[in-house]
Amino acid sequence: MFQTLYSYFWWERLWLPANLTWADLEDRDGRIYAKASDLYVTIPLAFLFLIVRHLFETYVATPLAALLNVKEKIRLKATPNAVLEKFYATTKHPKQAEVEMLSKKSGCTVRQVERWFRRRRNQDRPSLLKKFREASWRFTFYLIAFIAGMAVIVDVSGAPPPCARGGPLGACILPSQYWYYMIELSFYWSLLFSIASDVKRKDFKEQIIPHVATIILISFSWFANYVRAGTLIMALHDSSDYLLESAKMFNYAGWRNTCNNIFIVFAAVFIVTRLVILPFWIMHCTVVYPLDLYPAFFGYYFFNFMMGVLQLLHIFWAYLIIRMAQKFITGKVVEDERSDREETDNSEEEEEVAKNGPLSNGHPVLNNNHRKTD
């Protein structure tokens, strides 16, 4: 049964045009072709990336955060309460009727229950240092990957014509392309493995979809020997990603002007590369050019369908970027539209202080330092 599924999965008509077989892509005459088995190495490399990331965040990003004076907000902790904690495990945002019910069960006032849930939610939100460390790691990888991608493109452009030809009809693999593919795919596997522990934003589902789509696109382009197109697409994405991560780093460090200036550059690069170059040049080549070389097949439709999914996500992200740019132009504070804002109860606490004195975790603190009066 396993052999049957294996043969169906690797059926040549799924992956290759009608006039090409797997035998045509065997290594010969010093020309090396992409093989599916090459990608097995990306899984252990992905776990190696996780180790390198941990070391980088501990010994590079954390000292850098201290150097840039990344300051944490002081968060008041919610007082231990078994009743509220049990309910919090199921629902983090109770409705008004549930708040009143919990008030009776816990012996707290409605306001104290509301405050408890605000503080408990804030406790679960990622710290500023965690966000900075994550952005630093991605910035470092994307910058190095972009430089490497440019070097690989130059290397490919200088290759002999048989190796430079695109599509599954004969493009052979250069050593630089091999390592570029393996490292990029390993990195995206590591992002998928760590997504549960990384900073979660409002577009959490949209975070997963591009990782999965990217892994499928990179893997399929390797299987079907669309390596040249894949190299261009990966380098194109890296060209703007490192700018966004650097803008985040400066934002977390409180360097708002630097952040805004980098964001403007990022927005321009993003729109030009992903809404102009990608659809009108690269996707045009993957949709139109192959039909001059061979008839359409399943892999052709599948590859371009996944490219379409990524392009729709680019449009969605461009919408968020334009919204942020509008806020910047109008003088409003520019924030990540996908991030949850810190909840505060300062106004309520000030009201409680005025009535009952200072509060500690929602309860009055006795102040015995009375000023002597005559």
Side-chain angles (χ1 to χ4, degrees), residues 107-338:
C108 301
T109 66
V110 170
R111 177 170 292 184
Q112 287 175 336
V113 172
E114 292 172 342
R115 184 184 297 121
W116 188 94
F117 273 91
R118 278 195 296 271
R119 292 180 179 175
R120 188 64 181 83
R121 288 192 294 266
N122 284 337
Q123 285 180 224
D124 285 349
R125 287 189 172 86
S127 66
L128 198 63
L129 178 60
K130 178 178 175 62
K131 293 179 181 180
F132 181 88
R133 288 166 51 161
E134 179 181 318
S136 300
W137 165 247
R138 296 194 184 197
F139 162 76
T140 303
F141 176 83
Y142 289 137
L143 178 59
I144 295 174
F146 173 65
I147 296 172
M150 294 297 101
V152 171
I153 290 174
V154 172
D155 193 24
V156 172
S157 64
C163 283
R165 185 168 52 180
L169 288 179
C172 58
I173 303 300
L174 300 179
S176 58
Q177 284 179 300
Y178 172 84
W179 286 110
Y180 184 57
Y181 252 81
M182 297 304 108
I183 291 173
E184 284 273 0
L185 184 55
S186 300
F187 177 75
Y188 283 103
W189 273 120
S190 72
L191 290 184
L192 191 63
F193 295 157
S194 64
I195 198 169
S197 60
D198 286 344
V199 176
K200 292 182 177 63
R201 295 181 170 87
K202 294 177 182 178
D203 63 340
F204 180 71
K205 293 181 180 178
E206 288 82 359
Q207 283 182 280
I208 298 176
I209 294 174
H211 291 338
V212 175
T214 301
I215 290 171
I216 293 175
L217 268 172
I218 295 175
S219 301
F220 178 82
S221 64
W222 186 262
F223 294 158
N225 216 33
Y226 283 97
V227 179
R228 193 178 186 191
T231 301
L232 291 171
I233 294 167
M234 289 188 292
L236 192 74
H237 282 72
D238 292 334
S239 66
S240 61
D241 286 343
Y242 76 90
L243 291 170
L244 176 61
E245 299 303 329
S246 63
K248 291 180 182 178
M249 290 170 60
F250 285 111
N251 179 51
Y252 301 145
W255 296 29
R256 293 300 173 85
N257 290 335
T258 304
C259 168
N260 292 336
N261 291 331
I262 295 176
F263 180 81
I264 292 174
V265 177
F266 157 74
V269 174
F270 184 96
I271 292 173
V272 170
T273 56
R274 304 200 191 188
L275 299 187
V276 179
I277 295 178
L278 183 63
F280 295 106
W281 270 271
I282 297 180
M283 287 186 67
H284 175 78
C285 291
T286 63
V287 173
V288 178
Y289 174 70
L291 298 180
D292 295 333
L293 303 176
Y294 46 81
F297 61 107
F298 171 80
Y300 164 84
Y301 292 114
F302 179 78
F303 181 81
N304 286 292
F305 170 76
M306 295 304 298
M307 288 289 292
V309 171
L310 274 184
Q311 190 57 40
L312 290 176
L313 287 169
H314 293 159
I315 295 172
F316 169 75
W317 289 326
Y319 164 73
L320 295 180
I321 291 170
I322 292 171
R323 284 184 58 182
M324 294 174 71
Q326 287 177 337
K327 291 182 179 181
F328 170 70
I329 293 172
T330 56
K332 297 180 180 179
V333 176
V334 179
E335 297 179 354
D336 191 344
E337 292 285 342
R338 304 169 300 157

